[in-house]
Amino acid sequence: MTGMGNGINRRRLFAASGGIALTGALAGALAACGSNTGRGGGGSGAGISQWYHQYGEPGVQTAVKRYAAAYEKADVRVQWRPGDYDRQTAAALLTDSGPDVFEVNGPLLDQIRGGQVVDLTAEVEPVKDDFNQAVLAPKIWQDKIWGIPQAVDTQLLYYRKSMLRDAGVEPPQTLDELVDGAKKLTGKKTKGLFLGNDGGVGVLGGTPLFAAGLSLIGEDGKVGFDDPAAARTLGKIRQLYADKSLLLGAPADWSDPSAFIQGLTAIQWSGLWALPQVKKALGDDFGVLPFPKDGAAGKPSVPVGAYGSAVSARSKRPAEAKAFAKWLWIDRSDYQRDFALSYGFHIPARISLARKAGQLRSGAAADAVRFATDHGYAEPLLWTTADRTAYQDALSRIIKDGANPESELKTVVRKVNAELQRVKKK
């Protein structure tokens, strides 16, 4: 997978993905979008436009145009959208010149409640149970399915077997073991753990909360971390920072495995996309783990995300658009495997396809698929940009400044409660 500096890629799944308000600047952004259009579709039927954000992996653009050209029931025109894709899409969905079928990143609440996307329940329902349920959940509102997950990205811990063995440290199964192990693994040239150059503030998100058996938003639609266990768990992340067990200021950030490969850290948090590079460099001298559980009610935690294919409510050909989305992301399993694994390293969104994929059937890759299936969580539909900002700001103060986790989280809980009330009034 290419770095962020070389183009937008699937790592954006883990970036902020809340709804985007339309402003005057958005209309300008839409007008400024290039007509970067690839003519696809060998069919003689009605024309359909399909939008993708700009992937960083070489070959993706050619592949999606090839898929479109193979569709015989409509003439599908693929548009590759460089720049701020989410902003472009938000503007376009309010016009008659927007896409028929388009990618959406993260939860769909704003588009659903704004009447901007169409119901895809009938298309997905027959195979609903075969999708990774964690990534399907943010596409569901009021028991209806509004998007089809395309491919799954996930994050996990990479650990260097030889370094742990030499230090007498077992692969950590609990957060306490991770804290203790990272301290033992820290020496003059090597740090025990790398969670990013900011100490994990930007990447961890709700992962520690899920590891404590909590959630961001509970099934009851209320704050899911208004619990003393949340403060205890985040206090342990602060302990890693205070112990100086964390690698900070690495040449490349958490999404790049170079610090791990070069031996600057014994354990690193990174994405599944890094696995081929790690394996090529280290052979079998590494393993992968979920974020370890914390406390009696805790459980291993693995963040997952998936772009979804949605259909615009302003499409002039909604039936044809829905039929194409179903054909590509449900019927054509060969294209789904190709999309996930031929231009990067991702998990097909369908569980059955992930299990059959040869690249994912052994070793650390198979472990990663199992973790994503058994322990995966995605940001819930009701977790908004305001919620995310409030929580991440508090996490920064806790980890870097040593702020009191209990008081910080109380403030976040109040803000999230207020945001939930605002959202539910719409």
Side-chain angles (χ1 to χ4, degrees):
M1 178 172 292
T2 55
M4 290 298 291
N6 297 321
I8 302 170
N9 57 45
R10 289 180 233 198
R11 289 177 201 157
R12 293 175 72 252
L13 295 168
F14 298 104
S17 59
I20 300 174
L22 183 68
T23 67
L26 285 187
L30 177 62
C33 297
S35 57
N36 208 359
T37 304
R39 188 83 179 171
S44 58
I48 297 172
S49 64
Q50 183 188 24
W51 284 19
Y52 289 90
H53 80 282
Q54 183 183 3
Y55 285 86
E57 298 98 332
V60 181
Q61 185 176 9
T62 300
V64 297
K65 290 182 179 180
R66 173 167 51 86
Y67 307 155
Y71 190 60
E72 297 181 349
K73 295 183 179 180
D75 186 21
V76 182
R77 301 180 296 275
V78 171
Q79 289 201 24
W80 200 248
R81 311 295 295 192
D84 191 337
Y85 174 83
D86 293 336
R87 185 172 287 266
Q88 292 177 32
T89 306
L93 290 177
L94 299 178
T95 75
D96 291 328
S97 59
D100 296 295
V101 181
F102 65 100
E103 288 187 313
V104 64
N105 179 21
L108 275 163
L109 184 62
D110 284 356
Q111 292 94 333
I112 295 168
R113 299 190 71 172
Q116 296 175 339
V117 291
V118 302
D119 179 3
L120 297 174
T121 306
E123 286 70 26
V124 179
E125 188 67 39
V127 294
K128 177 182 176 181
D129 293 342
D130 191 37
F131 278 96
N132 180 302
Q133 295 302 293
V135 297
L136 182 62
K139 312 294 189 283
I140 298 175
W141 175 251
Q142 295 182 339
D143 298 323
K144 294 180 179 179
I145 302 169
W146 302 89
I148 308 174
Q150 296 176 176
V152 178
D153 268 328
T154 188
Q155 300 167 15
L156 61 169
L157 287 169
Y158 289 79
Y159 67 93
R160 189 79 171 263
K161 292 179 180 178
S162 57
M163 286 187 175
L164 268 66
R165 183 175 59 248
D166 292 346
V169 174
E170 293 293 324
Q173 303 300 312
T174 68
L175 183 54
D176 286 332
E177 290 178 2
L178 179 63
V179 174
D180 293 342
K183 192 171 184 179
K184 290 179 182 178
L185 289 161
T186 295
K188 292 182 179 179
K189 297 183 178 180
T190 300
K191 291 290 186 177
L193 178 63
F194 184 38
L195 297 175
N197 284 327
D198 60 2
V201 171
V203 70
L204 286 180
T207 301
L209 302 179
F210 281 85
L214 305 172
S215 62
L216 295 170
I217 305 292
E219 294 182 3
D220 58 0
K222 299 179 181 179
V223 178
F225 54 93
D226 189 6
D227 188 292
R232 288 197 298 270
T233 296
L234 296 188
K236 293 176 184 179
I237 308 299
R238 161 62 186 175
Q239 189 61 47
L240 285 162
Y241 190 93
D243 286 344
K244 298 185 178 180
S245 300
L246 296 179
L247 175 64
L248 303 171
D253 213 347
W254 66 272
S255 60
D256 188 312
S258 57
F260 180 69
I261 290 170
Q262 294 168 13
L264 301 180
T265 182
I267 306 173
Q268 177 174 335
W269 184 258
S270 192
L272 178 64
W273 55 79
L275 197 148
Q277 188 178 346
V278 172
K279 185 169 180 59
K280 182 178 180 180
L282 301 180
D284 293 327
D285 189 22
F286 79 99
V288 294
L289 291 168
F291 193 90
K293 64 181 180 180
D294 187 43
K299 55 187 178 182
S301 177
V302 177
V304 295
Y307 272 96
S309 185
V311 173
S312 170
R314 297 189 76 136
S315 170
K316 295 176 182 177
R317 301 177 180 88
E320 292 90 341
K322 289 198 293 182
F324 172 69
K326 176 181 181 294
W327 174 83
L328 181 54
W329 299 114
I330 293 178
D331 299 340
R332 290 302 302 255
S333 57
D334 54 340
Y335 289 162
Q336 293 156 40
R337 285 193 297 267
D338 182 65
F339 183 77
L341 290 161
S342 295
Y343 316 100
F345 204 67
H346 316 277
I347 303 172
R350 299 273 293 279
I351 296 170
S352 60
L353 299 183
R355 287 174 175 166
K356 292 176 184 176
Q359 302 98 312
L360 302 174
R361 294 182 66 179
S362 62
D367 290 338
V369 172
R370 177 167 51 86
F371 298 153
T373 303
D374 295 347
H375 309 304
Y377 83 89
E379 287 191 351
L381 201 62
L382 293 174
W383 187 251
T384 68
T385 300
D387 296 333
R388 189 181 303 106
T389 299
Y391 172 74
Q392 188 165 317
D393 288 348
L395 192 60
S396 178
R397 290 188 289 270
I398 292 167
I399 294 176
K400 297 174 121 180
D401 303 333
N404 184 280
E406 290 183 3
S407 60
E408 288 290 336
L409 286 173
K410 283 180 180 178
T411 300
V412 178
V413 166
R414 285 196 299 270
K415 290 181 179 179
V416 174
N417 273 328
E419 182 70 358
L420 284 170
Q421 293 300 314
R422 181 191 69 80
V423 170
K424 291 175 180 178
K425 285 179 182 178
K426 285 187 176 180

